[in-house]
Amino acid sequence: MKRIIILISVLLSFSSCEKIFMGEDISPTPTNTFDYLWKQVDECYALFDVKGVDWDEVHNELRPLVSDSMSDDSLFSVLAEMINRLNDGHANVWYAFDASRSEEVFLRMYGRCNIDLPTVALHYLGSDYHSAGGFQYNTIHDGEVIYIRYGSFSNSGSSVYLKHIMDRYPNAEGIVFDLRQNGGGNIQNEWNIMELLPNHGQKLYETQIKSGPAHDDFTPYSSLYAPDSNEKYPAYEQPFVILTDRGSYSATSFFALCMKSYSSVIQIGDTTGGGLGLPNGGQLPNGWYYRFSVTRTLSPDGKNYENGIPPDEVVMLSPDSVKVGIDNVIERACRIIKTKNANNPIAKHSTL
Amino acid sequence: MKYRIVTHGLLCAIAFLLFAISAKAEENKPVYRCSFTGGIAYSDFRDMGVSPITYSGPALNACFAFSRTAAQGRLSLEGNFLAGMYQDNVPPRHNFNNSSGLAQIRLKYLHQFNAGLNLGASVDNIFLLSHNSTFGNASFGAGDVTSVNLHLGYQTPLVLFRNKKTTWFVSEIAFAPISLQFRPGFAYIDNYTEEIPTNSTYFNQYQWYFSPFSTLEASLGILIGRRNLTISYHWQFITTWENAPHRMDFTTHSLQATWQLTKHNNKKNNKKI
């Protein structure tokens, strides 16, 4: 029995040593939380070169503002200030009662909003509009053009839905695909949509992932090519015009970048909001959350459009048009479709 | 890749060696055993790739094992599964927002010496999965640990009640001198991102690491009745230490009940013992 007691003692003490093996969690103090977030960004953020931010300088400026006696509200303000210096819509800090956002990105997205949703709803979609997945659609210009409003890539953009819309209006001359104020979502949806566009095996973009703590530690570039068309989804050969503005962010910018490689697609409106870095998330020692971009994306010709994809043709919404129930961006898109179909194709602007 | 091939080759060689030793030991009629284990557990889980905070919570585990014993050698193949729901320890505590699962396959050989002492070795493969949707594009985490373990066991008769059937006290510790681990790389991106959906990219950012003493185990229990029921406490610790870009630790305390069926190769003596 004595031997058994010794064995039990040994084994229980062995298992109770796990805290020593694991080590204690980082103490959730404001200073530790600040230092942890600063270091995470310093080692893992992928876009320092594009953003032009001196991250050491940010630390020197903001670290003295943090003390272990400060309130949660005060700490949150400092952390938000720190991460907002990146001017990246994919860089945020949040917890149960608040979430940070970059003022510059915020003003860019909403200060130059290039769509008037009531005008679109009342005069283009109409009360008899249809919906399929994330698409709201109807025909405009006496059935000659299909207008599709896609408000978020978070909503399903399945090829099945889009194919259904195309089949429903076989005589339409083209599609106006409205992505204004589409803040992004699931990037898989853009690949679903691209299945229905003419594929010539073209390169769409290149991407790199952060691979080490130095600011220039990246994996080799991976190239992405247009997805294959198939018999189930024959390519849509008619003109396809996408509408963007500064609120077209993240997955929408990825989509706009991809569209630059499709000859049948034209982007009009305003420059997109950007957001071509893939955000990655994590938790801070005090239980709050953060995310920021850990990848960077280049166009096929090697340019980084993190701050926005310029349109082939800039068309800004006219307040005078809106007053009379007209969206001049949609109207311009319709004219482009009709012009292209009249065998007078408009040369794409070589903005990339 | 070269190290990976060499290591897996070594592991296969060790597995073959276990079979060979087992075959040599089976000069007498072998005894086959099949056991089913169910248990409740409490686990701590921390993956520094997504959070410096330890998550804790209840789990359930189940284990199936088949063994063949001859002379003093016992060769067994075990499959162990554990699934749990965890929450962090920082107020306000969230609901159980992290779920994890573990699947372990073990090929083990134990040799029994006098005085109830067992010594042996095993080849293990542990696959860990975790999911926490709060972490966005890093919501899914996976890891694989392939290791060679050394086992030290001890068992002795235990009389709990006078004039009652003899029970046995059993205990075992095990550790892995070396293991090969497969873990997310520096950016800790999971496949939720579908960054490159046109290619097959599962685990494309994962990397291989060597790690010493990455798994530790201890168990103690009581064999009851005619040696077909075991009640035991089991502790398991899995870690990457600092050998991966993001350290991962996983511990489990479980209370288990094991039911064992025994079949002798001799038809005349084919009954439970």
Side-chain angles (χ1 to χ4, degrees), chain A residues 187-188 191 205 207 209 221-225, chain B residues 193-201 204-205:
Chain A
I187 203 168
Q188 178 62 48
W191 295 87
Y205 57 83
T207 185
I209 303 173
Y221 279 108
S222 295
S223 298
L224 283 90
Y225 296 89
Chain B
T193 62
E194 310 208 44
E195 172 82 349
I196 310 175
T198 52
N199 300 330
S200 176
T201 57
N204 69 324
Q205 293 304 313

Side-chain angles (χ1 to χ4, degrees), chain B residues 11 84 97-98 103 126 144 150 159 173 211 221 228 239:
Chain B
L11 291 173
N97 56 356
N98 194 98
I126 300 171
D144 190 85
L150 298 180
V159 180
I173 58 171
S211 186
N228 53 9
T239 183

Side-chain angles (χ1 to χ4, degrees), chain A residues 1 3-4 7-9 11-12 14-26 28 36 40 43-44 94 96-97 186-188 191 205 207-213 219 222-227 254 276 278-290 294-297, chain B residues 44-46 48-55 88-92 94 97 115 132 134-138 154 156-160 169 171-174 186-189 192-199 204-205 216-220 233 235-237 241 246-247 249-253:
Chain A
M1 182 57 80
R3 198 181 294 172
I4 292 173
L7 265 172
I8 291 173
S9 305
L11 294 179
L12 286 180
F14 195 47
S15 66
S16 63
C17 285
E18 69 185 30
K19 289 295 177 192
I20 297 171
F21 295 142
M22 287 180 68
E24 292 294 325
D25 287 353
I26 298 170
Y36 184 88
Q40 287 292 311
E43 294 184 347
C44 300
W94 73 96
F97 308 112
N186 188 347
I187 203 168
Q188 178 62 48
W191 295 87
Y205 57 83
T207 185
Q208 276 185 307
I209 303 173
K210 202 74 171 55
S211 65
T219 60
S222 295
S223 298
L224 283 90
Y225 296 89
F254 270 102
L276 297 176
L278 193 73
N280 206 359
Q283 196 169 22
L284 297 170
N286 65 351
W288 298 356
Y289 298 96
Y290 67 88
V294 295
T295 71
R296 63 184 181 189
T297 303
Chain B
D44 289 329
F45 174 71
R46 185 177 63 194
M48 298 291 279
V50 286
S51 174
I53 299 171
T54 299
Y55 280 67
D88 65 33
N89 298 309
V90 178
H94 298 280
N97 56 356
N132 186 334
T134 317
F135 299 141
N137 289 328
Y154 179 75
T156 184
L158 179 68
V159 180
L160 292 177
F169 172 83
S171 63
E172 187 172 329
I173 58 171
F186 186 80
Y188 207 103
I189 291 179
Y192 175 79
T193 62
E194 310 208 44
E195 172 82 349
I196 310 175
T198 52
N199 300 330
N204 69 324
Q205 293 304 313
L216 298 167
E217 283 181 71
S219 66
L220 49 88
Y233 159 75
W235 171 77
Q236 186 174 29
F237 175 60
W241 301 116
H246 306 289
R247 178 174 170 167
D249 299 283
F250 190 86
T251 68
T252 302
H253 300 260

Side-chain angles (χ1 to χ4, degrees), chain B residues 3 7 11 144-149 175-183 207-216 237-249:
Chain B
Y3 292 117
T7 305
L11 291 173
D144 190 85
V145 179
T146 304
S147 59
V148 177
N149 290 264
F175 64 95
I178 189 68
S179 68
L180 182 65
Q181 301 177 337
F182 186 56
R183 288 275 299 150
Q207 295 172 16
W208 294 91
Y209 311 95
F210 282 105
S211 186
F213 303 107
S214 60
T215 66
L216 298 167
F237 175 60
I238 305 166
T239 183
T240 64
W241 301 116
E242 306 294 341
N243 299 300
H246 306 289
R247 178 174 170 167
M248 184 276 297
D249 299 283

Side-chain angles (χ1 to χ4, degrees), chain A residues 185-259:
Chain A
N186 188 347
I187 203 168
Q188 178 62 48
N189 285 319
E190 76 179 53
W191 295 87
N192 296 339
I193 296 166
M194 283 190 288
E195 280 185 337
L196 290 156
L197 299 175
N199 166 35
H200 304 292
Q202 63 272 38
K203 185 193 283 189
L204 302 176
Y205 57 83
E206 294 183 318
T207 185
Q208 276 185 307
I209 303 173
K210 202 74 171 55
S211 65
H215 288 190
D216 57 353
D217 284 341
F218 284 93
T219 60
Y221 279 108
S222 295
S223 298
L224 283 90
Y225 296 89
D228 293 333
S229 306
N230 54 50
E231 290 179 3
K232 192 177 176 185
Y233 301 116
Y236 186 76
E237 301 287 352
Q238 301 283 61
F240 194 90
V241 182
I242 63 170
L243 315 183
T244 59
D245 68 1
R246 297 296 268 170
S248 307
Y249 197 75
S250 190
T252 314
S253 284
F254 270 102
F255 185 71
L257 179 61
C258 293
M259 292 301 99

Side-chain angles (χ1 to χ4, degrees), chain A residues 37-339:
Chain A
L37 179 60
W38 183 88
K39 188 166 182 282
Q40 287 292 311
V41 175
D42 185 51
E43 294 184 347
C44 300
Y45 188 61
L47 299 168
F48 280 117
D49 57 339
V50 182
K51 301 296 182 180
V53 178
D54 184 338
W55 199 238
D56 291 322
E57 180 60 33
V58 171
H59 181 272
N60 295 339
E61 183 184 336
L62 298 179
R63 181 64 174 78
L65 304 179
V66 181
S67 71
D68 286 346
S69 59
M70 70 195 306
S71 67
D72 278 356
D73 281 347
S74 300
L75 175 63
F76 185 82
S77 296
V78 176
L79 297 185
E81 171 67 21
M82 175 165 67
I83 207 154
N84 288 344
R85 296 289 179 91
L86 298 172
N87 287 324
D88 186 339
H90 279 151
N92 311 91
V93 179
W94 73 96
Y95 72 124
F97 308 112
D98 211 347
S100 74
R101 66 199 66 81
S102 161
E103 182 184 8
E104 185 177 313
V105 174
F106 181 83
L107 293 176
R108 190 195 302 161
M109 291 178 76
Y110 300 109
R112 285 182 60 172
C113 180
N114 205 37
I115 185 172
D116 184 72
L117 290 172
T119 300
V120 168
L122 292 172
H123 301 287
Y124 291 90
L125 282 173
S127 61
D128 60 343
Y129 77 88
H130 309 281
S131 61
F135 304 130
Q136 297 171 317
Y137 65 97
N138 213 333
T139 54
I140 55 177
H141 282 238
D142 297 325
E144 293 177 339
V145 175
I146 303 170
Y147 172 76
I148 301 174
R149 168 78 186 144
Y150 190 31
S152 171
F153 270 90
S154 295
N155 300 327
S156 175
S158 165
S159 317
V160 176
Y161 298 137
L162 199 53
K163 180 72 168 52
H164 172 79
I165 298 170
M166 292 167 174
D167 289 346
R168 186 169 187 164
Y169 307 111
N171 298 322
E173 295 182 17
I175 291 176
V176 175
F177 199 62
D178 195 342
L179 298 169
R180 291 173 291 179
Q181 294 297 309
N182 181 327
N186 188 347
I187 203 168
Q188 178 62 48
N189 285 319
E190 76 179 53
W191 295 87
N192 296 339
I193 296 166
M194 283 190 288
E195 280 185 337
L196 290 156
L197 299 175
N199 166 35
H200 304 292
Q202 63 272 38
K203 185 193 283 189
L204 302 176
Y205 57 83
E206 294 183 318
T207 185
Q208 276 185 307
I209 303 173
K210 202 74 171 55
S211 65
H215 288 190
D216 57 353
D217 284 341
F218 284 93
T219 60
Y221 279 108
S222 295
S223 298
L224 283 90
Y225 296 89
D228 293 333
S229 306
N230 54 50
E231 290 179 3
K232 192 177 176 185
Y233 301 116
Y236 186 76
E237 301 287 352
Q238 301 283 61
F240 194 90
V241 182
I242 63 170
L243 315 183
T244 59
D245 68 1
R246 297 296 268 170
S248 307
Y249 197 75
S250 190
T252 314
S253 284
F254 270 102
F255 185 71
L257 179 61
C258 293
M259 292 301 99
K260 295 293 182 190
S261 301
Y262 285 87
S263 58
S264 65
V265 180
I266 288 182
Q267 177 194 352
I268 71 168
D270 199 0
T271 302
T272 71
L276 297 176
L278 193 73
N280 206 359
Q283 196 169 22
L284 297 170
N286 65 351
W288 298 356
Y289 298 96
Y290 67 88
R291 68 169 192 166
F292 51 75
S293 305
V294 295
T295 71
R296 63 184 181 189
T297 303
L298 301 185
S299 63
D301 59 355
K303 292 180 181 172
N304 191 329
Y305 287 98
E306 171 59 30
N307 294 321
I309 314 294
D312 296 312
E313 181 178 327
V314 176
V315 184
M316 300 305 293
L317 188 67
S318 161
D320 293 337
S321 297
V322 171
K323 283 178 187 171
V324 293
I326 291 174
D327 185 317
N328 60 296
V329 185
I330 297 176
E331 294 300 325
R332 175 60 187 147
C334 293
R335 281 200 299 279
I336 288 171
I337 289 170
K338 290 175 182 175
T339 307

